[in-house]
Amino acid sequence: MGGAAALIAESRKARADKTWVMTDGAVGMEAQGIAVAEAIGLPFTLKRVRPKGAMRLLPTPLQILVPPKARLRAVAANESLEPPWPRIVISIGRRSVPMALAVKRLSGAYALHIQNPKVPARLFDLVAAPVHDNFEGPNVITTFGAVHGVTPERLAEAGKSFAPRIADLPHPRVAVLLGGESQAFSFPPEVATGFGAKLAILARETGGSLLVTPSRRTRPETLDALTKAIGGVPHFVWDGTGDNPYFAFLSLADAIVVTEDSVNMVTEAAGTGKPVYVQALPGRSTRLTRFHALMGERGATRPFEGRLESWSYAPVNDTKMVASAIRRALGLETKA
């Protein structure tokens, strides 16, 4: 009996200490799930999941009708989806919904989904959907933009370690966060050339400098075109080697310019409380148009028109609100 009791206790401990973050592997999705997991405070494991075989052909509402065990057998994952089960499962993006719900059914884990799951909210314990998704329900928390991991502590640490590398660059320093190709937007080299020229004029007129970082969606030729356009002014362009100085740029910049294609990057930039400018790209998205309008109304962002202004607003970050709701539901607040 002693051995059995020890095994049960160990199993419960393993379950109590685990959070699974389930995504389809998209970097922006992972960043949001990890941000919430870190704010909750329990150790977490990242599970990258994709349906395989015939399951790929089924839309999400039909996938969730497949028995949970069979559903998980039809998944390709970076790590096994089996006991010991987690206490919390955090999913993000509609493609992770069927797998997260299967884990919930088999384990009884508390399930949070981030963004609109495209299935009834009642299937989860909690849904955290951005206001521009227009998704509501009794168990839905509405967030302003994307949840993210931009905190004063993280910015201070990143800025301190990177500051010596750009010590000679003059102020005002403008961080430039580049997105790229998506279903709704394009970012070809010719657009980058015009954008870069506008940035170069800004740097000359203000006597400042530019801190440029691309994302995985930025085409190499697009980055090359922008880099050439700013060649005559003080700048630092991350070339993809070593760690991305993204958080360091957010920390060390006096203002930030972000391309309009990324809700994540715009919200993260607005998490600093610094002036954030949005650069338009070719394309259109009704959902993102609504998002940018809300950000503008809140006073966090303005369109980039080639000049710098000064304004203030409360930093945008609802991550702790979502994490606190989960901690309260699981009785973790009293154990902190």
Side-chain angles (χ1 to χ4, degrees), residues 162-181:
F162 199 82
R165 298 183 61 180
I166 61 169
D168 294 336
L169 291 183
H171 290 271
R173 293 170 177 165
V174 179
V176 182
L177 314 181
L178 304 178
E181 308 300 315

Side-chain angles (χ1 to χ4, degrees), residues 3-322:
L7 287 174
I8 292 171
E10 184 64 27
S11 176
R12 285 175 177 168
K13 182 178 185 300
R15 171 187 167 83
D17 288 347
K18 283 191 176 181
T19 297
W20 284 6
V21 178
M22 302 185 73
T23 79
D24 65 3
V27 175
M29 300 288 192
E30 289 184 0
Q32 293 186 60
I34 289 171
V36 174
E38 289 179 339
I40 292 170
L42 296 180
F44 65 89
T45 300
L46 185 62
K47 305 281 188 177
R48 299 185 177 102
V49 294
R50 286 179 178 271
K52 62 182 181 181
M55 186 70 73
R56 292 178 304 156
L57 306 178
L58 295 178
T60 297
L62 293 182
Q63 287 185 32
I64 64 176
L65 299 179
V66 176
K69 289 183 179 180
R71 211 182 308 166
L72 293 185
R73 286 196 297 268
V75 170
N78 65 317
E79 292 187 355
S80 61
L81 305 176
E82 58 188 22
W85 298 113
R87 184 174 187 182
I88 305 169
V89 57
I90 299 172
S91 55
I92 178 167
R94 60 182 175 81
R95 283 186 285 190
S96 66
V97 164
M99 287 73 91
L101 290 176
V103 171
K104 175 176 172 56
R105 284 280 303 277
L106 293 171
S107 68
Y110 186 96
L112 163 73
H113 187 78
I114 300 171
Q115 298 185 349
N116 182 347
K118 305 293 185 179
V119 299
R122 58 179 169 74
L123 297 178
F124 290 90
D125 294 290
L126 187 68
V127 174
V131 63
H132 59 273
D133 270 0
N134 280 343
F135 187 75
E136 299 179 350
N139 64 328
V140 177
I141 289 181
T142 300
T143 65
F144 207 95
V147 291
H148 61 79
V150 174
T151 63
E153 296 78 16
R154 174 167 283 172
L155 292 180
E157 181 181 354
K160 182 179 179 180
S161 64
F162 199 82
R165 298 183 61 180
I166 61 169
D168 294 336
L169 291 183
H171 290 271
R173 293 170 177 165
V174 179
V176 182
L177 314 181
L178 304 178
E181 308 300 315
S182 68
Q183 291 183 341
F185 295 97
S186 63
F187 193 10
E190 57 270 23
V191 171
T193 296
F195 180 27
K198 193 162 58 170
L199 289 167
I201 291 172
L202 172 66
R204 290 192 191 96
E205 290 181 345
T206 62
S209 57
L210 307 169
L211 309 174
V212 182
T213 179
S215 68
R216 292 189 182 183
R217 292 185 293 106
T218 309
R219 292 160 53 181
E221 56 269 31
T222 295
L223 180 61
D224 288 344
L226 188 138
T227 301
K228 289 177 182 177
I230 64 173
V233 300
H235 68 272
F236 183 104
V237 178
W238 182 56
D239 61 5
T241 60
D243 293 333
N244 190 338
Y246 181 86
F247 288 107
F249 285 1
L250 293 181
S251 173
L252 300 170
D254 300 294
I256 305 166
V257 181
V258 193
T259 54
E260 71 170 315
D261 54 298
S262 174
V263 170
N264 278 24
M265 289 197 302
V266 172
T267 314
E268 287 168 344
T272 67
K274 299 177 181 181
V276 177
Y277 298 90
V278 179
Q279 169 64 31
L281 293 179
R284 188 176 185 280
S285 164
T286 300
R287 179 173 171 269
L288 264 70
T289 296
R290 188 161 57 242
F291 163 71
H292 289 300
L294 291 166
M295 277 290 185
E297 291 172 7
R298 178 156 175 167
T301 67
R302 297 178 184 179
F304 181 54
E305 297 176 346
R307 63 178 184 271
L308 292 184
E309 301 167 312
S310 179
W311 73 92
S312 61
Y313 57 93
V316 178
N317 191 345
D318 287 334
T319 307
K320 287 186 178 180
M321 174 182 70
V322 176

